[in-house]
């Protein structure tokens, strides 16, 4: 693209040239390639909503449009504030049409008023016609690559979920396989601490029973923690998985004071999922990270799948432990 832009500059003077691609399905447009003056808000890879934008207007019309304070003595639409702030005074947008469809546009900016003459516009339109098929092919390639990556991701998730099923089915004693479970989960969800807490509804407490990761004062294995004011309590009551990002301890003081020890230990991103067996919440699956904004909806969906897969094993492990303790007491 840089070579193309340099060659284009021999024909038409400009300060910035970019190629924009349109994603009608997502309702967005992306600055794909840039040559010339750097505009931080419009760097290559930046995405903007299509609705109500100048890009949408040009694409809908399917014809070249100019934005400038003056053009051939006529008042025209002003530049975007982003570009005006950097001293740009004129822009021209030429739709890139392939197979009868607007796939993007060639957009040229200049710091000169009325920079684009009729001859310059004709030259740019010819160039746009030449590169439109290449831009369309590039979009097809990117779409195919994205589909292949998605297919690979789904295959990997399915493989790891099958591995988790084998791990939890290996023993009735979850403690024996919990480390292997953590290794499997880490392949799909990053974490600094992972724990399974059992719920005691009568006492309204949760107890960290299996833990991997950093130590949290007052949250050791076997500790009984009141549900009130904790993330486990919220998830238990709502029966819904949740993601929580904490930037400041003050955010926890009123709503979740029980989470303060975890935050003070350096944890900032929290993901919690109820473990439900026979329509009863028997525990909470916790995944936590020291990074901020670590977890996405995809991570939450995976955690829900893991929780659904291991809930039965956790319930069986509880029954096994209760039976073992009863036998010991009888002896």
């Amino acid at each position: 693209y840089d070579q193309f832009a340099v060659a284009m500059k021999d024909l038409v003077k400009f300060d910035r040239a970019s190629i924009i691609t349109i994603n009608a399905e997502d309702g967005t447009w992306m600055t794909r390639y840039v040559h010339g003056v750097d505009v931080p808000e419009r760097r290559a890879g930046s995405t903007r909503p299509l609705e109500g934008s100048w890009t949408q207007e040009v694409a809908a019309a399917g014809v070249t449009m100019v934005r400038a304070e003056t053009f051939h003595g006529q008042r025209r639409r002003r530049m975007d504030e982003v570009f005006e702030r950097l001293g740009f005074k004129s822009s021209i947008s030429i739709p890139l049409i392939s197979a009868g469809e607007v796939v993007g546009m060639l957009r040229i900016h200049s710091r000169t008023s009325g920079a684009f003459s009729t001859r310059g516009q004709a030259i740019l339109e010819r160039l746009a016609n030449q590169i439109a098929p290449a831009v369309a092919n590039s979009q097809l390639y990117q779409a195919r690559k994205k589909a292949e990556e998605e297919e690979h991701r789904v295959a990997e998730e399915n493989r790891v979920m099958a591995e988790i099923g084998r791990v939890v089915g290996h023993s009735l004693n979850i403690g024996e396989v919990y480390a292997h479970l953590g290794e499997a989960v880490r392949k799909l969800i990053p974490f600094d601490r992972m724990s399974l807490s059992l719920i005691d509804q009568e006492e309204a407490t949760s107890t960290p029973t299996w833990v991997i990761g950093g130590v949290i004062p007052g949250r050791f294995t076997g500790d009984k923690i009141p549900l009130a004011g904790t993330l486990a309590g919220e998830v238990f009551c709502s029966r819904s998985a949740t993601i929580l990002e904490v930037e400041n301890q003050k955010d926890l003081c009123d709503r979740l004071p029980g989470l303060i020890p975890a935050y003070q230990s350096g944890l900032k991103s929290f993901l919690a999922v109820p473990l439900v067996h026979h329509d009863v919440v028997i525990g909470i699956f916790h995944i936590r990270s020291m990074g901020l904004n670590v977890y996405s909806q995809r991570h939450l969906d995976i955690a829900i799948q893991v929780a659904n897969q291991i809930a039965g094993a956790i319930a069986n492990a509880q029954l096994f432990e209760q039976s073992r303790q009863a036998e010991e007491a009888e002896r």
Side-chain angles (χ1 to χ4, degrees), residues 22-24 26-29 48-57 59:
I22 296 171
N23 189 329
D26 292 346
T28 60
W29 61 269
R48 309 281 296 178
L50 189 60
E51 183 67 29
S53 68
W54 176 247
T55 300
Q56 184 186 44
E57 190 170 333

Side-chain angles (χ1 to χ4, degrees), residues 31-201:
T31 302
R32 184 73 66 176
Y33 309 104
V34 176
H35 179 86
V37 178
D38 178 42
V39 179
E41 297 91 334
R42 299 291 190 277
R43 286 175 177 158
S46 63
T47 303
R48 309 281 296 178
L50 189 60
E51 183 67 29
S53 68
W54 176 247
T55 300
Q56 184 186 44
E57 190 170 333
V58 175
V63 296
T64 300
M65 291 190 180
V66 175
R67 296 180 85 168
E69 292 187 4
T70 59
F71 183 62
H72 293 317
Q74 298 180 3
R75 190 75 177 175
R76 293 296 182 98
R77 291 188 58 161
R78 294 181 61 84
M79 298 284 296
D80 287 339
E81 290 184 5
V82 169
F83 289 94
E84 280 192 344
R85 191 169 62 245
L86 295 174
F88 290 97
K89 297 180 180 178
S90 304
S91 77
I92 184 168
S93 298
I94 304 100
L96 301 174
I97 302 174
S98 178
E101 180 183 355
V102 178
V103 296
M105 60 191 62
L106 174 62
R107 182 164 290 167
I108 312 295
H109 287 87
S110 173
R111 284 173 167 160
T112 302
S113 295
F116 306 109
S117 64
T118 302
R119 176 179 174 276
Q121 179 175 326
I123 292 172
L124 291 172
E125 288 174 343
R126 288 176 62 186
L127 292 172
N129 289 336
Q130 289 181 348
I131 66 172
V135 173
N137 289 337
S138 175
Q139 285 183 284
L140 289 174
Y141 169 76
Q142 292 294 335
R144 184 170 64 250
K145 183 179 178 181
K146 184 178 180 181
E148 289 174 352
E149 290 174 350
E150 177 67 14
E151 184 178 349
H152 175 76
R153 182 183 67 79
V154 171
E156 177 64 10
E157 287 180 4
N158 290 337
R159 186 191 68 77
V160 175
M161 292 303 296
E163 180 182 345
I164 290 172
R166 289 192 297 270
V167 167
V168 297
H170 183 71
S171 173
L172 287 174
N173 186 349
I174 294 297
E176 294 179 352
V177 298
Y178 186 67
H180 297 296
L181 174 63
E183 291 173 5
V185 171
R186 199 189 294 275
K187 294 176 183 177
L188 300 177
I189 307 174
F191 65 82
D192 292 299
R193 179 182 167 97
M194 182 181 104
S195 64
L196 296 172
S197 297
L198 299 179
I199 298 293
D200 187 324
Q201 295 192 40

Side-chain angles (χ1 to χ4, degrees), residues 6 91-92 133 147 150 162 168 195 226 233 239 243 247 266 275 284 302:
V6 170
S91 77
I92 184 168
E150 177 67 14
V168 297
S195 64
R239 300 170 65 95
I243 295 174
E247 297 186 24
L275 295 165
I284 307 296
I302 293 171

Side-chain angles (χ1 to χ4, degrees), residues 193 195-210 218-236 258-259 281-286 288:
R193 179 182 167 97
S195 64
L196 296 172
S197 297
L198 299 179
I199 298 293
D200 187 324
Q201 295 192 40
E202 292 184 0
E203 295 185 3
T205 61
S206 69
T207 301
T209 307
W210 300 282
R219 299 293 186 268
F220 299 107
T221 301
D223 288 348
K224 287 187 175 292
I225 305 159
L227 288 174
T230 66
L231 186 59
E234 278 200 359
V235 172
F236 171 74
L259 208 57
V281 178
I282 61 172
I284 307 296
F285 179 35
H286 292 283
R288 300 173 174 185

Side-chain angles (χ1 to χ4, degrees), residues 10-31:
D10 291 336
L11 300 173
V12 179
K13 302 302 180 184
F14 61 85
D15 296 292
R16 174 187 165 95
S18 60
I19 290 179
I20 290 165
T21 56
I22 296 171
N23 189 329
E25 291 184 3
D26 292 346
T28 60
W29 61 269
M30 174 185 286
T31 302

